[in-house]
Amino acid sequence: MSFAWAKPYEPKTALGHWVDERLPLPRMIYGAVGGGYPVPRNLNYAWNFGVLAGVFLMIQIVTGIVLAMHYYSSVGGAFASVEHIMRDVNYGWMLRYAHANGASFFFIVVYIHIFRGLFYGSYKAPRELVWMLGLVVYLLMMATAFMGYVLPWGQMSYWGAQVITGFFSAFPLVGDPLRIWLLGGYAPDQAALTRFFSLHYLLPFVIAAVVILKTWALHIPGSSNPTGVDVKAEKDTLPFHPFYTAKDGWFVLAFLMAYFAVVFFLPNALGHADNYIEANPLATPAHIVPEWYFLPFYGILKAFTVDLSIPFTDIVIAPAKLLGVISMFASILILFLLPWLDRSPVRSGHYRPLFKRFYWLLVIDVLVLGWAGGAVPTAPVVATMQLATIYYFAHFLIILPIISKIERPLPLPQSISSSVLHGEAEESAPYGLAKSNA
Amino acid sequence: MAEDTKTVEGSTEDGVRRRDFLNIAAVSFAGVGAGAVVIPLLSQMAPDADVRALASIEVDVSSLQPGQGIVASWRKQPVFIRKLTHAEMAEADQVPLDALRDPATLADRTKEGHRDMLIQLGVCTHLGCVPLGIKPGESKGDYDGYFCPCHGSHYDSAGRIRKGPAPTNLAVPDYVFNSDTVVTIG
């Protein structure tokens, strides 16, 4: 850690000394999540979701490995093997429901984590790489979750595989060969199922590796905090252990209660009933929708119909299909540019009155996109998706750059400790007039 | 050899040493080797011999009455075979070509002498779902043809794209009529 007051690791036993001189692994752990990592003292509950995401990554890896001990990746046997897990394997029903709902809760946690970062400016200097590595984790999570959903080889599995590999066919020239290469055939079949199993096993370990890089990058500047004000002195911080291990610990338990309530009492509430029908390559279900955590992006994809009056220069170069696919990918890739689109020097949304309003509009916009993405594409739904898609991109490309220029932020607290240890009156005093500054 | 003594050992007058060439040659050869490793690692994912061994299929269409359709499976994909009614053919012929996103007449999409037999892949050209409309009772969309439930593409009675995100008409596979009643697809 870069703070001068971080407590150095001191081995207490002879064995500890012996290990520390040869492989200082306990020293590294102590500095990362122990008493040697000072953390701002004013973190609120929005800061619990990083650790929680790590917990769900572990839940998914452990339940995933045990499910792979009973699952067959064969087109003729995959669906039956999942039912075998449900009926015959000891606690198989619980492990499968824990894994399936674990994916949903992983995404709930990550969405809250992302929107926390968006509100508190956690993507701003010097934490740009933390943000970008997080986006890499998010992209890997989506790829992993997609391939995992294919494995039971139900109707939603099959048609999800058909549609999502179909995204790649939108690209001119390379599109169709790329899709056939991804599938190993002309439609999802044995080759596709087997390779998705292999990659679904691989990617969580890649995610774990990127999470290590992300944590490493975070620990250089240290955690951000709700004021967005930099840590200036020791009294601004608390050691991670025991203060934040305890807070994270109790919050993880509280959140897991909600998770297990769903696993035990509503295990199919977040899933789609059609995935209990075995895959049929000759019939698409009439009410096909992706998993809920993909719906906003699905809304952006579906917003591009040719009827939409986008000024094409050449209709052959940018058909609706390609525009939809590019926009869907761009809706995530644009977040990589966020640290350079939002130029306001004030990090926290608490002190940005204009930003705050547009932030909540963005939250509503993403919820609307998610609702429209799951609805039947009738004319009003399509129009809603188109407006919401325009707003989504306008937020990042137009609104954020403008408000970071014209906004007059509220006065910031002098320090993290003054925002915590003194009252709201001092915090809201005009710059230079607070008592602690006198 | 007399020139060599004036410069650093092994180098020519413009400062290029033979060792520089060796470095370039070694790195280049390592690049070739890396490429030779990557090619099989990528190529193994392309369709294997099993999948490439694509048989053609024969379909008996003698039992089809006008207005009836069947779904055959070819290359693991559905093929829609539909005997059109006179009303559907007339409807398809009435559409002006410049109203179409992917202009084609019904005659272009069927075989000479079998204008009533519409054979096309039942794969939406958007992202590959199977459109509804070939079976009785399914939604036929706004143009009396096919409706894809995935992203709302509408096809007309000749399988031409009319509305929604799909870029082209339903694909017509290679096929021949062996006789009046048997079609070979593929």
Side-chain angles (χ1 to χ4, degrees), chain A residues 252-323:
Chain A
V252 165
L253 286 181
F255 197 86
L256 287 183
M257 281 172 67
Y259 163 63
F260 281 110
V262 171
V263 169
F264 289 131
F265 300 109
L266 296 160
N268 292 306
L270 297 168
H272 198 294
D274 276 18
N275 221 29
Y276 282 105
I277 302 168
E278 194 164 2
N280 177 3
L282 299 185
T284 308
H287 301 287
I288 179 168
V289 283
E291 288 284 80
W292 69 265
Y293 40 79
F294 291 139
L295 285 177
F297 305 106
Y298 202 61
I300 290 175
L301 175 79
K302 286 203 286 187
F304 287 84
T305 60
V306 167
D307 299 334
L308 181 69
S309 55
I310 276 189
F312 297 118
T313 49
D314 186 350
I315 231 161
V316 182
I317 286 175
K321 176 178 172 181
L322 182 61
L323 285 175

Side-chain angles (χ1 to χ4, degrees), chain A residues 43 109 149 263 296 319 339 362:
Chain A
L43 300 191
V109 166
Y149 196 51
V263 169
L362 179 73

Side-chain angles (χ1 to χ4, degrees), chain A residues 94-392:
Chain A
M94 186 179 83
L95 293 165
R96 181 189 169 222
Y97 280 148
H99 194 71
N101 287 291
S104 277
F105 275 78
F106 199 172
F107 276 97
I108 292 172
V109 166
V110 163
Y111 283 133
I112 297 173
H113 192 62
I114 291 173
F115 276 99
R116 187 270 289 165
L118 284 173
F119 184 79
Y120 290 107
S122 303
Y123 48 85
K124 291 187 182 182
R127 297 184 184 84
E128 297 97 324
L129 279 182
V130 183
W131 174 253
M132 291 161 92
L133 287 166
L135 290 172
V136 171
V137 168
Y138 180 49
L139 289 171
L140 288 169
M141 271 179 70
M142 291 201 285
T144 309
F146 155 61
M147 289 191 274
Y149 196 51
V150 171
L151 300 184
W153 211 242
Q155 273 288 70
M156 288 295 159
S157 301
Y158 182 92
W159 292 102
Q162 172 85 322
V163 167
I164 288 179
T165 56
F167 293 162
F168 296 93
S169 74
F171 297 107
L173 300 175
V174 295
D176 273 317
L178 183 61
R179 174 173 183 271
I180 289 169
W181 177 76
L182 284 170
L183 285 174
Y186 305 95
D189 199 19
Q190 184 61 59
L193 179 60
T194 321
R195 70 189 50 180
F196 283 5
F197 183 44
S198 176
L199 295 174
H200 183 67
Y201 211 117
L202 167 71
L203 287 185
F205 298 99
V206 180
I207 291 176
V210 181
V211 166
I212 289 171
L213 292 181
K214 182 178 186 289
T215 312
W216 186 5
L218 171 69
H219 284 206
I220 302 304
S223 299
S224 64
N225 72 86
T227 65
V229 172
D230 282 325
V231 168
K232 288 166 187 153
E234 184 170 7
K235 64 177 180 175
D236 290 343
T237 63
L238 293 169
F240 190 83
H241 180 76
F243 295 97
Y244 285 106
T245 44
K247 188 183 180 188
D248 281 326
W250 104 257
F251 193 79
V252 165
L253 286 181
F255 197 86
L256 287 183
M257 281 172 67
Y259 163 63
F260 281 110
V262 171
V263 169
F264 289 131
F265 300 109
L266 296 160
N268 292 306
L270 297 168
H272 198 294
D274 276 18
N275 221 29
Y276 282 105
I277 302 168
E278 194 164 2
N280 177 3
L282 299 185
T284 308
H287 301 287
I288 179 168
V289 283
E291 288 284 80
W292 69 265
Y293 40 79
F294 291 139
L295 285 177
F297 305 106
Y298 202 61
I300 290 175
L301 175 79
K302 286 203 286 187
F304 287 84
T305 60
V306 167
D307 299 334
L308 181 69
S309 55
I310 276 189
F312 297 118
T313 49
D314 186 350
I315 231 161
V316 182
I317 286 175
K321 176 178 172 181
L322 182 61
L323 285 175
V325 170
I326 288 176
S327 303
M328 187 190 61
F329 285 122
S331 67
I332 297 170
L333 296 181
I334 201 172
L335 296 175
F336 279 94
L337 302 177
L338 187 55
W340 295 276
L341 292 170
D342 179 3
R343 302 304 298 256
S344 169
V346 176
R347 293 200 190 99
S348 172
H350 265 314
Y351 305 98
R352 303 184 60 190
L354 203 50
F355 168 87
K356 200 187 283 185
R357 288 182 203 166
F358 285 104
Y359 169 84
W360 288 111
L361 270 180
L362 179 73
V363 173
I364 293 167
D365 186 65
V366 171
L367 292 174
V368 167
L369 273 174
W371 163 78
V376 179
T378 55
V381 173
V382 172
T384 310
M385 285 190 293
Q386 290 167 346
L387 284 175
T389 301
I390 290 169
Y391 184 80
Y392 182 91

Side-chain angles (χ1 to χ4, degrees), chain B residues 14-80:
Chain B
D14 53 354
V16 179
R17 296 174 302 161
R18 276 185 288 179
R19 187 164 294 278
D20 293 334
F21 172 76
L22 284 177
N23 286 344
I24 292 166
V27 170
S28 306
F29 199 74
V32 172
V37 170
V38 167
I39 287 167
L41 287 177
L42 292 180
S43 159
Q44 54 83 22
M45 277 176 69
D48 57 28
D50 212 15
V51 171
R52 277 180 279 130
L54 295 170
S56 52
I57 56 166
E58 280 193 356
V59 185
D60 183 355
V61 295
S62 60
S63 61
L64 278 180
Q65 298 300 311
Q68 281 186 335
I70 54 171
V71 182
S73 176
W74 173 68
R75 278 184 167 191
K76 306 273 180 183
Q77 297 175 98
V79 178
F80 286 177

